[in-house]
Amino acid sequence: MRALALYGTIGSLLVTALATAPAGGATGAAAAPPAPVPHRIEFGRCAAVEHLPSTVECGRLTVPLDYARPDGKKIHLTVSRIRATARGERQGSLVFNPGGPGASSMEFPLYGTLPKWRRVARAYDFVGYAPRGVGRSAPLSCQNPKEFAKAPTDSRMHPDAAFKHRKRAEAREYARGCVRRAGADLPYYNSVNNARDLDMLRAALGEKKLTFMGASYGTYFGALYATLFPGHVRRMIFDSVVNPAPRKIWYQNNLDQDIAFERRWGDWLRWVARHHAQYHLGTTKKAVQQAYNKAASKLRRTPLNGKIGAGQLQSAFLKTGYNDAFWPMRAEALAGYLHGNPKPLIAQALPRDTGAAAEENSNAVYTAVECNDAPWPRAWRTWNRDNTEIARIAPFETWDNAWMNLPCAFWPDRPASAAAELDAAVRRADHPAAGRDLADVAGHVARTQVDDALHGRRGPLDVHTEPGALPPVLLLAAERDAATPYRGALELQRRLPGSSLVTENGAGTHGIAFNDNACVTKYAEAYLLHGKVPAHRAYCAPRAEPLPGQQATRAQHALPGK
């Protein structure tokens, strides 16, 4: 399950010397080959499609599709920037990634206008970008957006055999769609390439060392960057940390996430029960769950507005697990629907056709990155066994999460992808340059197959740095985070010696920097502005719970990306 893109909207919350070869300290894997030296980015007016004001400037970063073939095919990533507001205090560029996989930070430069970010914006150019595959950065697609956005859909916490059979067929067809639409390029949408693109961006910005803030999935490929390029790091904040252990990427992480979401869902159920006088949905957690189940069954039989079914209900209420600013809104919507006023639920759950293409693109990138990053179980019996077992104790999100990731069971392996590349070259054989094309591709296929024969299918990079190889980095985590369970932060801290971890005790909002906890923001600001890190561990009291009827601000809606 994707982590929702953190801070999703602005209202919502001498280049040769900078060559991008890894700088010492990569462990658990061979050092990455050197990349071509990027040209400085030429910034200018943003394209209208970005919907950014004239205060933001945009440019384009050119990177190799395949870093093993740096002179081969190139792709272009879109980049955005607003310069530091106090030139005399400028410390360089702050690059931000909000997560996903599949989320863009093109709007990040606008965050500097928000009160909580203004001091940091005095010292840094705020730089956002769309990672490979996202938006206009070599966009990836697996399905017709209209088909992807088709509504209503169903969601079942305990699906029967027929429902499972249908979802398996959908997952197989979705994987085929990714292969058909992306072709030979598909294997190169992965986290290691995202980390290498980040180093190309650092160099193209003219920065000798990188200052980076990653949230959710951004913490994972940021950690890969720290492993590959520790000598290129200036400062890094990892907010809401993905567990980087190779055995967790990504199948086990998703199972762990299911259990964490059940706990967080229970937090919301208990909150609603405590406010029965406001919502009249029951005085116990069990009663509120029964009210939700009643709404799901009713919508399954008769979709609201013809487009809000049990699937749309589930998608809307999943957000209660990401940010407690959604708690009053969703309680109001559930109560209204069951008591005769469907308008709040329509406002919060009705799919919007205008966002279909972006949603399909984001989902395609998410799928490609996670499926390419690591081996996944191929046998349906494994998926069925594991998810059935988890759903017994954590039914809220388990099976919907499984369906989202099931295309990985049908994903082409690396040799098959290389063979597809050769097939594509053969189909181009009548082109005048076909001789060179075929020779290049055939050589690449041979290298790929030899590599697989010698080393087996590649697994995730073992995130780790040696003591002293990396400057102190700052980790931020909420103790009850569902999307990136807290143990992931403990694991990353163990793997990055000298790092500091700030924990928001007893809280579960996903994405906590420059949000509603002043204690957390104080630590993040001191680190970015002065390089100060707290002790090995520091703790902040939880933010106040929302009140019934409280209207969340759009900034509070800022969600990190799965």
Side-chain angles (χ1 to χ4, degrees), residues 315-361:
S315 294
F317 278 75
L318 182 65
K319 293 180 182 178
T320 62
Y322 285 101
N323 193 324
D324 56 16
F326 282 97
W327 289 7
M329 299 169 60
R330 294 303 187 259
E332 178 187 357
L334 181 61
Y337 175 67
L338 292 176
H339 300 148
N341 177 19
K343 289 183 180 179
L345 184 59
I346 293 171
Q348 296 177 41
L350 186 67
R352 289 165 175 78
D353 295 337
T354 55
E359 287 293 322
E360 191 280 326
N361 168 242

Side-chain angles (χ1 to χ4, degrees), residues 176 233 261 268:
R176 288 173 177 168
V233 173
F261 258 95
W268 181 76

Side-chain angles (χ1 to χ4, degrees), residues 18-220:
L18 302 173
T20 57
T27 56
V37 178
H39 295 288
R40 284 286 193 107
I41 298 172
E42 297 290 335
F43 283 98
R45 185 183 297 274
C46 297
V49 70
E50 300 294 350
H51 302 292
L52 294 171
S54 59
T55 53
V56 182
E57 53 184 357
C58 293
R60 190 171 75 162
L61 172 69
T62 300
V63 301
L65 173 69
D66 176 6
Y67 279 92
R69 304 167 69 196
D71 296 325
K73 181 176 178 178
K74 304 294 193 298
I75 59 175
H76 309 287
L77 313 186
T78 55
V79 183
S80 59
R81 181 179 71 180
I82 283 183
R83 292 282 198 173
T85 59
R87 293 297 179 90
E89 300 175 22
R90 185 181 181 276
Q91 298 188 36
S93 299
L94 171 61
V95 179
F96 176 68
N97 178 271
S104 168
S105 61
M106 286 294 289
E107 290 184 337
F108 174 63
L110 298 177
Y111 291 11
T113 64
L114 300 175
K116 292 173 184 175
W117 288 88
R118 281 179 185 161
R119 291 186 63 194
V120 176
R122 290 176 61 85
Y124 288 95
D125 301 346
F126 275 27
V127 177
Y129 73 108
R132 60 171 60 201
V134 180
R136 295 188 300 122
S137 296
L140 192 63
S141 173
C142 293
Q143 189 177 29
N144 184 308
K146 289 184 179 179
E147 183 68 20
F148 179 80
K150 187 182 292 184
T153 58
D154 199 359
S155 171
R156 304 200 177 199
M157 295 185 188
H158 301 285
D160 59 20
F163 190 85
K164 292 177 181 179
H165 180 78
R166 185 162 67 251
K167 299 303 286 188
R168 288 169 63 194
E170 290 174 3
R172 182 184 294 108
E173 184 56 32
Y174 188 83
R176 288 173 177 168
C178 296
V179 174
R180 283 195 302 268
R181 288 172 173 249
D185 292 354
L186 188 60
Y188 305 106
Y189 294 89
N190 60 60
S191 293
V192 170
N193 280 343
N194 282 337
R196 303 214 65 195
D197 290 346
L198 183 59
D199 202 51
M200 292 283 282
L201 176 58
R202 170 201 60 79
L205 291 168
E207 302 290 352
K208 292 184 178 180
K209 296 197 175 186
L210 175 71
T211 302
F212 174 75
M213 181 172 170
S216 195
Y217 167 71
T219 69
Y220 177 60

Side-chain angles (χ1 to χ4, degrees), residues 395-454:
F396 175 63
E397 180 53 24
T398 295
W399 280 107
D400 280 342
N401 201 6
W403 308 139
M404 183 170 188
N405 293 288
L406 190 57
C408 295
F410 307 102
W411 208 250
D413 61 21
R414 198 159 170 258
S417 298
E421 186 174 352
L422 182 57
D423 289 343
V426 171
R427 289 195 296 272
R428 298 192 298 270
D430 58 350
H431 190 277
R436 177 179 296 178
D437 186 27
L438 280 168
D440 288 348
V441 174
H444 179 54
V445 171
R447 289 192 301 273
T448 300
Q449 292 174 336
V450 168
D451 179 76
D452 284 344
L454 289 174

Side-chain angles (χ1 to χ4, degrees), residues 26 78 88 103 209 227 240 249 253-254 275 310 333 345 403 406 423 434 463 470 499 551:
T78 55
K209 296 197 175 186
T227 300
S240 304
I249 304 296
N253 265 339
N254 278 281
H275 299 291
L345 184 59
W403 308 139
L406 190 57
D423 289 343
V463 169
L470 186 70
S499 57
Q551 292 298 312

